[in-house]
Every structure is written in structure tokens, then in C-alpha cells.
Amino acid sequence: NTSIAQNLVADKNDLILAIATPSAQAVVNQTKNIPILFTAITDPVGAELVQSFEKPGGNVTGTSDTHPDAIKNTIAAIKTFIPDAKKVGIIYNNGEPNSVVNVKHAKTAIQAAGLESVETTITASSEVKQAAESMVGRADVLYIPKDNTVVAALESVITVANAKDIPTFVGEGDSVKRGTFASYGFDYHDLGYTTGKMAVEILKGKKPSEIPVGFPENLELIINKKAAQEEGITLTEEQLKNAKIVE
């Protein structure tokens, strides 16, 4: 990342686009003069890319893939679809800073919904299946945050959830397409489009410091009907009315 960032700065580009936190941090460390636009960042303030969402400061702004309402809405959906649920099992890698932030928000939402969280942490994808199995009998539903380590072994979670009829709620739409039940998510294409509009503003002369950090514009409930069947969830027409359905 560092050598690529140095090359981009040496080329005197008008604007540098960085995707994901390590790339963005590498570029920010190399230049305070060239405008930098980031995208798909969970916690731009925590990653020290910007001073705040509203006033980024410096030569950097962009889009975060963590919509402020996504986790809250997904946790609220547990109450809607699984009204008898009491305990929410969370599997995550506590060595991933983005996961720690997401889990903190999830636990706040779980508590606010009158539910209880049960956590299992892992350090490698090879531990995910065992972690999912450890939740059987301890959790009524599972919540998988946006966690690279767990998502890399998502099929292990799905295997256990399907065998034991444990509904799975997740941190992003791509995991729903892979076979989990539900999430409030967005299309990364939309996030890219939003970032592109910010790029146009910068290239027309606006300073990154004047553009607040953006979020996905369209947050929607995404449901996998096949996963619902596999996990023993009965869906009503009313529940499906405003959802985006994936098979």
C-alpha cells in the first residue's frame, strides 16, 4: 500500500481515490496537498482519516459503508421476525477494529430492544464453525457483523444455522445473498455512485474539507426467502411488503 500511495502522489494526480481503510491510511500518510476521496470505510474518524463526519478537515473526505441506522434497523428486525427471541449470539474477531465498533453499536441496539447479547470471539476463519456450534442452545438468533474473518467463513455459520434452525441476521446485503436470512443493507454500486458525485465536486474546485462524509443513500431490508425456509422462519406477506427479496 505504501509504495502504491507514494507513486500516486509522485504522479501529481488531481484526486486520489482509496478503497477500504488500509489504502486510505497509506495515501493520507503520503500527502496533505492532493485531495483524497475514500470509500467503503467503516469508521473514518476512528481510522484518523477525518476529524468528524460533518467537518472532515484537511484534504480528505469520502463515504462510509456503515449507515448510522443499518445496525439499529437490523436488530429491530429480530423483534419483527422472531418475536420470541431473547438472546442474540454475536460471532466476531475482536482483533478487527471495524468489528469492535460494529459490535459496540449492535450491543447498544440489542439492549435497547430488550434483548440480551451472547458473544463469541474468534481470531481466524478456521474457528468460525466451532464458534457457531457453541451458540446452539445459548442463542435464539445469530447476528454476524461486518467482520472480514467471519464473513470469509460464512458458509460454516450457515451450515450450523440451517441444521439447528437458528435465524441469521447480518451486517450487509452480500451475506444475505450468500445464504443468511436478513439485513438492512445497500448496494455497493450505489455507494460508489455517491462517491463519484463527490469526486466531480472536488474536481470542479470544492475542497474535501467542505464536503461532509457521505453514507449509502438507499438503505433497505434485504431478505433471503430460501434461507428463511432453511432456518425455520415463517414469513407473512405483510413482512415481505417493503423488502428486497433475494433467492
Side-chain angles (χ1 to χ4, degrees):
N1 275 334
T2 303
S3 60
I4 293 170
Q6 284 169 343
N7 290 338
L8 291 172
V9 172
D11 287 344
K12 295 188 167 55
N13 287 289
D14 297 321
L15 173 65
I16 297 172
L17 172 67
I19 301 172
T21 304
S23 308
Q25 286 173 325
V27 180
V28 168
N29 287 338
Q30 294 302 322
T31 180
K32 297 285 176 275
N33 301 319
I34 298 173
I36 297 167
L37 198 55
F38 59 72
T39 189
I41 308 265
T42 298
D43 183 14
V45 176
E48 298 180 350
L49 297 169
V50 294
Q51 288 165 19
S52 74
F53 282 85
E54 296 75 28
K55 294 187 173 153
N59 61 322
V60 189
T61 190
T63 55
S64 168
D65 61 5
T66 304
H67 192 290
D69 296 331
I71 292 173
K72 194 172 65 181
N73 290 2
T74 302
I75 299 300
I78 294 173
K79 300 279 282 186
T80 305
F81 292 100
I82 320 294
D84 296 338
K86 296 199 170 35
K87 294 188 177 182
V88 181
I90 306 174
I91 303 169
Y92 71 106
N93 178 357
N94 58 356
E96 278 190 41
N98 57 312
S99 299
V100 174
V101 172
N102 287 332
V103 169
K104 189 177 151 201
H105 290 316
K107 284 168 75 175
T108 302
I110 287 165
Q111 204 174 358
L115 299 165
E116 191 185 326
S117 57
V118 182
E119 291 173 56
T120 295
T121 59
I122 52 104
T123 57
S125 295
S126 57
E127 299 167 15
V128 171
K129 189 159 196 287
Q130 194 178 353
E133 285 165 346
S134 79
M135 288 293 182
V136 178
R138 290 169 62 216
D140 304 310
V141 301
L142 289 177
Y143 175 71
I144 306 299
K146 271 191 293 193
D147 180 295
N148 297 313
T149 315
V150 181
V151 171
L154 193 65
E155 281 63 33
S156 302
V157 178
I158 293 165
T159 302
V160 174
N162 291 353
K164 301 293 181 183
D165 283 356
I166 306 173
T168 50
F169 294 80
V170 290
E172 29 74 46
D174 287 348
S175 291
V176 180
K177 289 177 190 163
R178 280 169 67 183
T180 56
F181 168 54
S183 176
Y184 268 86
F186 62 91
D187 194 320
Y188 271 92
H189 176 274
D190 290 345
L191 189 68
Y193 192 81
T194 300
T195 314
K197 288 197 287 190
M198 293 163 86
V200 171
E201 286 186 54
I202 292 168
L203 291 170
K204 282 183 173 175
K206 209 165 183 187
K207 290 188 173 74
S209 59
E210 299 169 350
I211 305 173
V213 172
F215 295 104
E217 288 172 24
N218 303 310
L219 194 63
E220 56 189 346
L221 174 63
I222 306 166
I223 285 175
N224 186 318
K225 276 175 91 169
K226 187 167 179 284
Q229 208 174 346
E230 295 277 3
E231 295 171 6
I233 304 160
T234 308
L235 299 171
T236 64
E237 285 304 314
E238 184 64 26
Q239 286 173 332
L240 293 172
K241 203 165 65 179
N242 297 315
K244 177 182 178 181
I245 310 296
V246 296
E247 296 294 341

